[in-house]
Structures are given as structure tokens and as C-alpha cells.
């Protein structure tokens, strides 16, 4: 019996996929990367925004073809789309044998067995699960890096976001359990831990009654075999002085702050139901740069939120131009049913959203290129991830300034010796919009 998986969406979804893979492997099901060979096909879907939903549906329908052309006997739709739409999805996709929500990963074998008997089923509903260090997991990331989900769900109620409806309330894993998983990962060869949650800075508030990310980072930094600890998705509200101090002083905690801001005009932030103000955000960014030398700051912004005027957009543009973020992700507003923003008046026309998107992207591209050019002649440690497809003598990797999958890469010329997973010293020679070319030092 063979199973094939496709994981869509964010790294948090990928961890769920890896856990389901681990459970299936424990039950003597082989994992294949060729969907034509798979008896069971599982698509772990994303439903964050409309384009993600469309990609998920297209992928599911593409996998359904293997019922005719391959070995597939069971097609299972898992994850956020399954959690959100449940029975409706099963009714509308007759090729699907089962729909399972985000909290049903631990029932994957039950679902497989039932569908192979010819039964169609839906398992969704309230999601209050979270994996632990003892849960089987088959990692799909390179052996030197691993995602560690430190919490699940979200208690924020941003007007545009459906994640709380899908993933449930915020729930942290016990600190000792996270450290135990990290030690196992380190013993297996992992050098970079990437901590993820819907709001990592909020870690611990639910079970310890106060933010505990700083304490968790200090504990993880004591694990000898770990070289880098990277934190993603930290909202400004809980990015306190204690946490800033850890970023500044713990050598293993990379100086990369992922700070989703979404907008910079107070009126829009209020409409989004965000607790931040432009003034407060500016104070935090100033403090981060003053206290964490060399800090890289990444953020994300939404253009075209209902009611966003030209004045509001210009304020956002001015903010991005002034703050000169190292990395920025930009999205056009996506209307999600059952969210407060979906029923807000004053919708921004699609052509205006696209104009603002391209304008802001163009501005940030220029800033990114200028920042990368300013790095020329500096030296950084680079984690080697592979080789250039066309020139094997060029190694490709990331420094502390680049998170996996979402940021650019560093191309190391004349390095035919370094192996994947090595951390090497690189002198940066030429900066481009997203990538940088360098040479190995020594």
C-alpha cells in the first residue's frame, strides 16, 4: 500500500502533513512522491485567501485524474478547506472519498481504512488538537532544517482573517515538550529550527498567563547541536523588551524579525480590528533597530481593504518608503465569507487594488535592491542548501537574513566543495533585488 501527499499553503500546514505521513508510515504504508503509484492520495489544503482556495480545488481535481490513470483508490481532502467547508466539499467533489479538517490528522488511518472499504465520510468540527514530541512525524524538509509548531490557532480577530474560524482558539504546547522535540531534531542532524505559530510572540499566554517566547528561546539555545533558531510570525503586541533582549544577546537566535503589520494608517488598522497604531509600530521598529544590531525586519501588508482611500494608501506607501524593510510581502485584499470585512461597505475596485499592489511592489523592489547593494563587501555565514541548476560549481544558500521558501538566496561562486547543510563564511560581492552573489571566504 502506497500513499502520496501534496501539502499546500503555509509551513504550519506542512507540519500537519508531516505528522500524517509519520502516522501512516508507522502503519506500514509506504510514501511515494509519484502520484501515479499511490493507492491513497491526500491533499492537505489551504483556505487562507481566495487564490489559495482555488489552488487547492485545482490540485484536488488534478489528483482525481489518477483514479483513472493511476492506482488511486482513495482521494482524501485534508486541512483548512476541509475544516471550513466539510460536507459541502464532499457533495461538490464526487471524486473525493473523504473530507477531513485540521483537527483530524490523528484519525488519518481510520479515514484511510473506511474509504478503502468504499465509504465516503467527513470529519471536521471544532479543532482543539495539537501534536506533541511523541507524535510520529516524517519530515519533508531538508535534513538540516525543521519547522517546529509551538502553538496552534489564534485568538486575534482581525476583520479580514478566517484563520480563527478554521484553526480555533490559540493553544500553546508545553515548553518542555517543545524542547524535547527540538533535542530529537538536533540529534537527527537538524541545525536550523524554525519556530512557527499564528502569533509566535503570543506563545505561552494561554497556559502560563504571560508571554513565554523569550524563555523558550533561551531554553532552545542551550541545545548544543542547534546552530540557528528562527522565529516566524510575531505580532507587535507581545514583542516586549524581554523578547528583544533575547534576539539581541542569544547568538543562536537569528536576528530576523517577522512582524506582520498589514497596514500603517490608524483608520485602516482600526477597521481591520488590529490593536496597533502607526506611532506604536514606529516606536517598536526604532527599538528593534537600536537594540538588535544588524536586525533584518520582514513584514506583510494588505492593499485594497474595504474603505481604504487614496489618502490611506499613500500613508502606507510613505510608511514603507520611510521604514525601508528588508523583506516585504504584499497582498491584495481577499474577501472571506463569515469575516467582518466581508460585509463592510466601500469595497475597493479590483483595478485600484492591482494598481496599488504593483506600485507598492515596485517601491519595495527598489528598496530591497538598495539594501542588498549596501551589503556588498560584507561577510555573512551562509547555510548551503544546494547547487545552481546550470553551474554545479556555484553553491546556493541562505544567511540569517533569509527565511526558507519566502526570501531570496545567496549564490556562492567558485564553491564546489561545500556540502548541503554546511554553514560557510561568504563575502558578498553583488546585490540584486532579491538575491545576492558572493564568494566563499578561506
Amino acid at each position: 500500500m502506497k500513499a502520496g501527499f501534496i501539502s499546500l499553503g503555509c509551513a504550519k500546514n506542512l507540519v500537519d502533513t508531516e505528522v500524517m505521513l509519520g502516522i501512516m508510515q508507522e502503519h506500514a504504508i509506504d510514501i511515494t512522491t509519484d502520484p501515479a503509484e499511490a493507492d491513497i492520495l491526500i491533499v492537505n489544503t489551504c483556505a487562507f485567501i481566495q487564490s489559495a482556495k482555488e489552488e487547492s480545488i485545482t490540485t484536488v481535481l488534478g489528483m482525481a485524474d489518477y483514479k483513472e490513470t493511476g492506482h488511486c483508490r482513495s482521494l482524501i481532502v485534508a486541512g483548512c478547506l476541509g475544516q471550513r467547508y466539510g460536507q459541502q466539499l464532499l457533495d461538490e467533489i464526487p471524486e473525493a472519498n473523504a473530507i477531513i479538517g485540521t483537527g483530524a490528522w490523528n484519525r488519518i488511518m481510520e479515514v484511510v481504512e473506511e474509504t478503502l472499504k468504499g465509504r465516503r465520510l467527513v470529519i471536521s468540527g471544532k479543532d482543539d488538537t495539537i501534536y506533541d514530541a511523541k507524535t510520529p512525524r516524517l519530515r519533508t524538509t531538508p535534513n538540516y532544517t525543521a519547522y517546529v509548531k509551538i502553538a496552534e490557532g489564534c485568538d486575534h480577530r482581525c476583520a479580514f482573517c478566517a484563520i480563527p474560524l478554521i484553526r480555533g482558539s490559540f493553544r500553546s504546547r508545553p515548553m518542555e515538550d517543545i524542547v524535547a522535540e527540538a533535542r530529537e531534531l538536533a540529534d537527527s542532524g537538524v541545525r536550523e529550527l524554525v519556530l512557527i505559530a499564528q502569533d509566535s510572540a503570543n506563545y505561552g499566554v494561554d497556559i502560563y498567563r504571560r508571554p513565554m517566547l523569550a524563555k523558550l528561546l533561551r531554553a532552545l539555545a542551550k541545545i548544543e547541536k542547534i546552530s540557528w533558531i528562527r522565529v516566524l510570525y510575531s505580532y507587535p503586541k507581545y514583542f516586549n523588551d524581554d523578547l528583544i533582549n533575547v534576539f539581541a544577546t542569544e547568538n543562536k537566535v537569528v536576528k530576523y524579525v517577522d512582524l506582520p503589520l498589514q497596514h500603517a494608517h490608524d483608520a485602516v488598522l482600526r477597521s481591520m480590528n488590529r490593536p496597533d497604531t502607526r506611532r506604536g509600530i514606529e516606536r517598536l521598529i526604532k527599538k528593534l533597530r537600536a537594540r538588535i544590531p544588524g536586525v533584518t525586519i520582514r513584514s506583510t501588508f494588505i492593499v485594497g481593504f474595504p474603505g481604504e482611500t487614496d489618502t490611506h494608501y499613500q500613508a502606507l506607501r510613505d510608511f514603507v518608503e520611510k521604514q525601508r524593510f528588508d523583506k516585504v510581502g504584499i497582498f491584495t485584499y481577499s474577501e472571506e465569507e463569515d469575516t467582518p470585512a466581508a460585509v463592510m461597505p466601500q469595497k475597493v475596485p479590483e483595478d485600484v487594488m492591482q494598481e496599488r499592489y504593483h506600485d507598492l511592489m515596485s517601491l519595495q523592489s527598489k528598496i530591497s535592491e538598495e539594501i542588498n547593494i549596501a551589503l556588498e563587501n560584507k561577510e555573512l555565514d551562509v547555510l548551503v542548501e544546494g547547487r545552481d541548476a546550470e553551474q554545479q560549481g556555484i553553491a546556493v544558500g541562505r544567511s540569517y537574513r533569509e527565511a526558507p521558501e519566502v526570501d531570496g538566496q545567496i549564490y556562492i561562486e567558485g564553491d564546489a566543495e561545500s556540502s548541503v547543510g554546511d554553514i560557510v563564511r561568504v563575502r558578498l560581492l553583488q546585490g540584486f533585488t532579491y538575491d545576492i552573489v558572493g564568494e566563499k571566504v578561506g
Side-chain angles (χ1 to χ4, degrees), residues 122-185:
V122 174
I123 302 177
S124 59
K126 185 179 179 182
D127 179 359
D128 57 5
T129 60
I130 188 166
Y131 81 108
D132 60 34
K134 296 179 181 178
T135 307
R137 181 177 170 192
L138 178 61
R139 287 195 298 110
T140 58
T141 51
N143 68 324
Y144 53 81
T145 189
Y147 293 104
V148 177
K149 193 187 292 191
I150 62 174
E152 181 60 277
C154 188
D155 286 341
H156 301 309
R157 291 296 182 267
C158 301
F160 52 83
C161 185
I163 293 299
L165 302 174
I166 298 170
R167 291 278 180 174
S169 60
F170 189 84
R171 49 207 185 275
S172 304
R173 292 173 59 191
M175 190 177 303
E176 58 272 18
D177 185 63
I178 297 170
V179 173
E181 182 188 15
R183 290 190 188 281
E184 290 181 11
L185 290 169

Side-chain angles (χ1 to χ4, degrees), residues 7-161:
S7 190
L8 303 173
C10 65
K12 297 181 285 292
N13 221 32
L14 180 62
V15 171
D16 293 344
T17 295
E18 293 177 340
V19 166
M20 286 189 283
L21 285 169
I23 293 171
M24 296 181 78
Q25 190 179 55
E26 268 207 345
H27 285 80
I29 293 179
D30 293 331
I31 308 301
T32 178
T33 57
D34 183 356
E37 293 182 350
D39 304 281
I40 307 146
L41 281 170
I42 302 174
V43 181
N44 199 11
T45 59
C46 178
F48 180 50
I49 56 177
Q50 185 60 34
S51 59
K53 296 178 192 175
E54 292 169 0
E55 180 189 18
S56 293
I57 294 295
T58 300
T59 303
V60 169
L61 296 177
M63 292 300 102
D65 291 342
Y66 290 103
K67 286 193 162 187
E68 302 293 332
T69 62
H71 296 168
C72 182
R73 297 161 53 201
S74 172
L75 175 60
I76 299 169
V77 181
C80 294
L81 204 66
Q83 182 74 15
R84 190 100 199 263
Y85 298 105
Q87 186 64 46
Q88 178 187 344
L89 209 57
L90 193 69
D91 293 341
E92 294 181 0
I93 306 179
E95 300 90 342
N97 298 88
I99 309 295
I100 65 174
T102 54
W105 53 263
N106 55 348
R107 298 177 65 182
I108 187 63
M109 284 310 303
E110 172 192 343
V111 173
V112 166
E113 290 163 3
E114 290 297 317
T115 56
L116 291 176
K117 292 176 185 174
R119 187 178 164 212
R120 299 182 81 218
L121 69 159
V122 174
I123 302 177
S124 59
K126 185 179 179 182
D127 179 359
D128 57 5
T129 60
I130 188 166
Y131 81 108
D132 60 34
K134 296 179 181 178
T135 307
R137 181 177 170 192
L138 178 61
R139 287 195 298 110
T140 58
T141 51
N143 68 324
Y144 53 81
T145 189
Y147 293 104
V148 177
K149 193 187 292 191
I150 62 174
E152 181 60 277
C154 188
D155 286 341
H156 301 309
R157 291 296 182 267
C158 301
F160 52 83
C161 185

Side-chain angles (χ1 to χ4, degrees), residues 157-161 261-263 266-275 301-303 305 308 333 341 344:
R157 291 296 182 267
C158 301
F160 52 83
C161 185
L261 298 175
Q262 311 307 359
H263 214 278
D266 286 355
V268 179
L269 289 168
R270 284 194 297 272
S271 293
M272 288 180 165
N273 199 29
R274 302 279 293 187
F301 298 99
I302 297 171
V303 297
F305 187 79
E308 183 190 58
Y333 167 71
M344 286 181 178

Side-chain angles (χ1 to χ4, degrees), residues 1 11 38 51 98 105 126 129 138 150 168 181 197 210 213 229 232 240 247 262 284 311 358 402 404 411:
M1 188 73 68
S51 59
W105 53 263
K126 185 179 179 182
T129 60
L138 178 61
I150 62 174
E181 182 188 15
R210 61 191 178 94
L213 180 59
I229 304 168
L232 299 184
N240 56 31
F247 271 78
Q262 311 307 359
L284 176 58
T311 300
H358 290 292
E402 293 87 29
Y411 291 80

Side-chain angles (χ1 to χ4, degrees), residues 179-205:
V179 173
E181 182 188 15
R183 290 190 188 281
E184 290 181 11
L185 290 169
D187 289 341
S188 73
V190 169
R191 304 195 68 183
E192 177 189 37
L193 295 177
V194 185
L195 307 189
I196 52 174
Q198 201 60 37
D199 179 2
S200 294
N202 197 30
Y203 169 74
V205 170

